């Protein structure tokens, strides 16, 4: 974290000045953007997996109706179904989980910026001094609202200045957190929300995370609040960008599928369909019977009759036909014919 922060400070410090507070604030912002860019690929994979889960939503509905009185069994069957389709509904938590060590590392680095220190990881004594003396509207980036007056005075600031900057950042971070969590819930598929544990966790996080920003804000350095705010703004923009991207991918896939169906040659009016066309027509109609082909040709309608039976399952000649073909009656008829001739 210190290396990435140092890199961006060199760039913005060259433009705005190394001791400028906004140069340090922009360095924190682009620290967030750098890390979220690395996590962009897992986020895309997670959204694609979510769209895949929507395709077996009817199966999920059947499971919910079948096991509506047994939630434990329903959760087990749901996990089994998700495993068969290669989808993990908790995969969306991976980017958020990876951000936890980043947040803690940044918090630790900022806490180590103290007046008089000769180094702070990759920062030398000059870098430590530059950060300690930098401020945004009188608030020092490494300080927090609940610090003692003595500590704030040691950094050259006071509580009113910290409150003037810290409270608006807390409110903005809280609101941005709420909307980012709300968008995340909307992206949750029916398969994921059908899992009781996942649904409960999502609903709790929708309100716990924004409240957490307000409650913990007075105890966090101003730079951490900047990080939190930038992270949630990135989440909002990323959700809009990825949603449009996946929508375009699905639209192109549907167009290709439709074009492939239209390219299949259809028989002319009155012409006999080929075996391939008959099989494709059966698939499109959802027929699960055996393909109507015999030696590469379409089976005739009479192919369903076997052993002289008619479509209804009755013998082809019926009862009269069976009586007519009995050997005894044939012999009697032959004798009567011979007598008449005599």
């Amino acid at each position: 974290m210190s290396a990435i922060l140092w890199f961006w400070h060199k760039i913005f410090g060259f433009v705005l000045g190394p001791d400028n507070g906004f140069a340090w604030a922009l360095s924190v912002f682009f620290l967030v953007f750098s890390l979220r860019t690395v996590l962009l690929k897992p986020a895309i994979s997670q959204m694609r997996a979510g769209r895949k889960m929507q395709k077996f939503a009817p199966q999920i509905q059947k499971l919910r109706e079948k096991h509506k009185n047994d939630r434990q069994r329903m959760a087990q069957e749901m996990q089994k179904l998700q495993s068969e389709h290669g989808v993990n509904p908790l995969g969306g938590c991976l980017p958020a989980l990876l951000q936890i060590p980043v947040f803690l590392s940044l918090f630790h680095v900022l806490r180590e910026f103290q007046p008089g220190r000769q180094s702070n990881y990759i920062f030398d004594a000059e870098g430590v001094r530059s950060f300690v003396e930098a401020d945004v509207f009188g608030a020092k980036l490494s300080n927090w609202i609940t610090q003692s007056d003595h500590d704030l005075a040691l950094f050259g600031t006071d509580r009113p200045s910290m409150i003037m900057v810290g409270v608006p950042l807390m409110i903005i971070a809280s609101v941005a957190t709420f909307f980012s969590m709300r968008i995340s819930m909307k992206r949750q598929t029916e398969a994921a929300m059908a899992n009781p544990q996942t649904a409960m966790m999502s609903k709790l996080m929708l309100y716990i995370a924004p409240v957490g920003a307000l409650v913990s804000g007075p105890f966090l350095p101003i730079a951490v609040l900047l990080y939190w705010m930038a992270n949630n703004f990135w989440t909002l923009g990323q959700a809009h960008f990825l949603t449009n991207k996946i929508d375009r991918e699905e639209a192109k896939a549907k167009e290709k599928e439709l074009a492939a169906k239209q390219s299949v040659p259809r028989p002319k009016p009155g012409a006999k369909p080929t075996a391939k066309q008959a099989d494709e027509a059966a698939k499109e109609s959802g027929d699960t019977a055996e393909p109507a082909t015999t030696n590469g040709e379409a089976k005739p309608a009479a192919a369903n009759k076997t052993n002289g039976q008619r479509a209804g399952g009755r013998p082809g000649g019926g009862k009269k036909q069976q009586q007519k073909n009995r050997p005894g009656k044939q012999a009697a008829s032959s004798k009567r014919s011979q007598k008449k001739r005599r």
Side-chain angles (χ1 to χ4, degrees), residues 77-137:
E77 294 294 331
M78 205 75 66
Q79 292 176 358
K80 182 180 178 181
L81 181 64
Q82 293 161 359
S83 177
E84 291 175 354
H85 287 78
V87 175
N88 183 9
L90 298 179
C93 299
L94 180 61
L97 293 176
L98 292 176
Q99 292 179 52
I100 294 177
V102 173
F103 181 85
L104 296 176
S105 300
L106 178 63
F107 181 79
H108 186 70
V109 170
L110 296 177
R111 291 288 295 266
E112 295 300 316
F113 281 111
Q114 298 290 335
R117 290 201 62 165
Q118 298 301 311
S119 65
N120 182 14
Y121 295 99
I122 198 172
F123 290 97
D124 56 10
E126 183 62 23
V128 173
R129 182 203 61 78
S130 175
F131 187 87
V132 169
E133 294 181 359
D135 67 85
V136 176
F137 300 115

Side-chain angles (χ1 to χ4, degrees), residues 6 31 53 63 73 84 101 105 121 172 185 234 241 246 270 298:
W6 176 87
L31 166 67
M53 292 172 67
L63 288 177
R73 179 65 183 278
E84 291 175 354
S105 300
Y121 295 99
I172 295 174
M185 282 191 63
W234 175 279
F241 169 76
I246 302 300

Side-chain angles (χ1 to χ4, degrees), residues 23-40:
W24 282 103
L26 289 173
S27 301
V28 174
F29 271 54
F30 278 81
L31 166 67
V32 176
F33 301 157
S34 302
L35 296 172
R36 293 302 300 271
T37 301
V38 174
L39 298 175
L40 191 59

Side-chain angles (χ1 to χ4, degrees), residues 328-339:
K329 286 197 172 187
Q330 290 178 355
S333 176
S334 177
K335 289 180 180 181
R336 284 195 298 267
S337 299
Q338 291 176 2
K339 288 180 181 180

Side-chain angles (χ1 to χ4, degrees), residues 66 136 217 221-222 225 227 241 247 270 272 296 302 308 313:
K66 183 178 180 181
V136 176
I222 298 297
L225 292 177
Y227 170 88
F241 169 76
D247 288 343
K272 183 179 179 180

